[in-house]
Amino acid sequence: MTVRTPPPIDPELQRVLASTPDVVTTLSAEEIPDLRLRSVQPTLDELTLSGEFELSHHRAPRGDGSEIDLVLLRPALREGAVPVLFHVHGGGLVVGNAYDELPALTRFAKRVGVAIMAVEYRLAPEHPYPAAIDDVYAGLTWTADHAAQLGLDRERIVLHGVSAGGGLAAAAALRARDRREPSVFAQMLLCPMLDARNDSVSAQQMTGIGAWDRTANETAWTAYLGPNRDAPPADASPAAAADLSNLAPAFIDVGSAETFRDEDIAYAQQIWLAGGEAELHVWQGGVHGFHALAPDAAIAHDAQEARAQWLTRMLRREP
């Protein structure tokens, strides 16, 4: 393999990386159980912004009779139907839970005036494909079907996902389009994990560097795809989709110094080539998940501002 020179990392992020020993750069299958132990449950005040949001728990059925856990955070004083971010957490399809990103996301939701519904999907390798996408899609469908009872706007459901969750959100958008339900208003894909091939130039450049490198990515895709590893379907690896037409408008952002850079740029390009709508941001010097790694960094503030502005513009549109 050709040795690729990596792009520079933003200096603020570089300092955080150097001082944060538990950043996941590489990952083996044997390390997954220990990584799961790092998860920390937010407090009620963190989740609700000290009561500004109402927290409730719900369950959506699976086809086998079991149930999917859903976490709803709805603005406490809002009347009527509220737009909702249907949130899919990150974690490489092998770690994480519905609560991981909620404190920061609730602050974002307050700014743009939306609710959050987070889905607790099953993790690989115990539950390989299609478990995760089946759970995400079932939770999305249940949310749409019960929107009126929950005080949510069925016509303004925004799929929102980070990293592996971004890939699952993109896959859910494809499945919703193909099955003609439910209606998806928009999709926010933050550093999404879209391409199981794991062979892009950016993946090669970031091997052993930064956060979530090519080795970690290979571990994750192998755990999730199992026997489908060599020929992943589009609802596992959205980059494999032959047709990206008629999708909800997409916001895609990614760092220039991360494994997913090239696949995310290519996905936006394919949406444009299919006549669709995508807003793409490539943040110079950004490593994977920089908004969570260093939320006070200038690049993280700029990214959050761009996300808020885009969603605010989208929500002014008619469904």
Side-chain angles (χ1 to χ4, degrees):
M1 182 180 71
T2 303
V3 176
R4 306 280 189 176
T5 301
I9 294 173
D10 177 90
E12 279 189 278
L13 300 182
Q14 187 66 71
R15 288 193 291 271
V16 173
L17 284 170
S19 63
T20 310
D22 60 349
V23 170
V24 177
T25 301
T26 63
L27 181 71
S28 68
E30 294 73 25
E31 293 172 311
I32 292 172
D34 287 339
L35 186 57
R36 289 177 179 174
L37 296 176
R38 295 188 194 177
S39 182
V40 178
Q41 186 79 3
T43 67
L44 181 62
D45 280 350
E46 288 173 332
L47 288 170
T48 67
L49 300 185
S50 299
E52 294 190 52
F53 283 74
E54 294 175 342
L55 172 67
S56 58
H57 297 87
H58 307 273
R59 288 188 169 181
R62 296 189 181 97
D64 63 2
S66 62
E67 293 180 311
I68 304 157
D69 290 327
L70 297 164
V71 180
L72 175 61
L73 287 160
R74 188 187 181 283
L77 301 180
R78 284 281 296 274
E79 297 182 358
V82 182
V84 58
L85 294 180
F86 187 86
H87 171 66
V88 192
H89 70 80
L93 301 162
V94 297
V95 300
N97 63 62
Y99 295 91
D100 281 349
E101 295 139 11
L102 289 187
L105 190 56
T106 308
R107 293 191 293 273
F108 177 82
K110 177 185 176 181
R111 175 175 176 177
V112 295
V114 298
I116 303 165
M117 181 73 88
V119 58
E120 188 73 85
Y121 60 87
R122 289 169 290 178
L123 300 175
E126 296 89 343
H127 303 284
Y129 170 83
I133 182 56
D134 283 352
D135 289 354
V136 170
Y137 180 74
L140 174 66
T141 301
W142 185 92
T143 298
D145 289 346
H146 294 79
Q149 300 98 298
L150 298 169
L152 306 176
D153 187 347
R154 180 189 174 101
E155 302 304 316
R156 294 180 185 273
I157 299 175
V158 178
L159 277 164
H160 179 278
V162 180
S163 191
L168 288 167
L174 288 166
R175 188 179 281 192
R177 178 202 63 183
D178 293 344
R179 298 186 182 182
R180 302 181 184 276
E181 62 176 357
S183 175
V184 175
F185 182 70
Q187 46 182 331
M188 296 192 74
L189 313 178
L190 311 185
C191 53
M193 178 179 172
L194 298 169
D195 195 341
R197 288 171 294 187
N198 196 29
D199 62 357
S200 68
V201 171
S202 58
Q204 296 172 30
Q205 285 179 306
M206 301 309 297
T207 301
I209 301 170
W212 198 260
D213 78 341
R214 189 183 189 192
T215 301
N217 207 36
E218 186 62 32
T219 295
W221 278 119
T222 299
Y224 182 54
L225 292 173
N228 297 286
R229 182 69 188 90
D230 294 331
D235 66 352
S237 173
D243 177 15
L244 295 184
S245 64
N246 300 312
L247 289 171
F251 179 97
I252 301 171
D253 78 354
V254 68
S256 66
E258 69 164 292
T259 298
F260 298 147
R261 182 195 67 215
D262 293 350
E263 64 197 64
D264 292 355
I265 293 171
Y267 199 73
Q269 290 175 326
Q270 290 304 308
I271 291 174
W272 295 325
L273 289 173
E277 182 177 346
E279 180 166 321
L280 172 67
H281 292 258
V282 181
W283 298 100
Q284 175 56 43
V287 297
H288 185 63
F290 65 85
H291 61 284
L293 175 68
D296 294 326
I299 187 177
H301 284 292
D302 290 348
Q304 196 76 327
E305 184 68 22
R307 295 164 188 170
Q309 290 182 1
W310 179 84
L311 186 54
T312 299
R313 292 196 307 271
M314 286 301 304
L315 291 173
R316 293 194 188 112
R317 296 185 183 184
E318 292 296 323

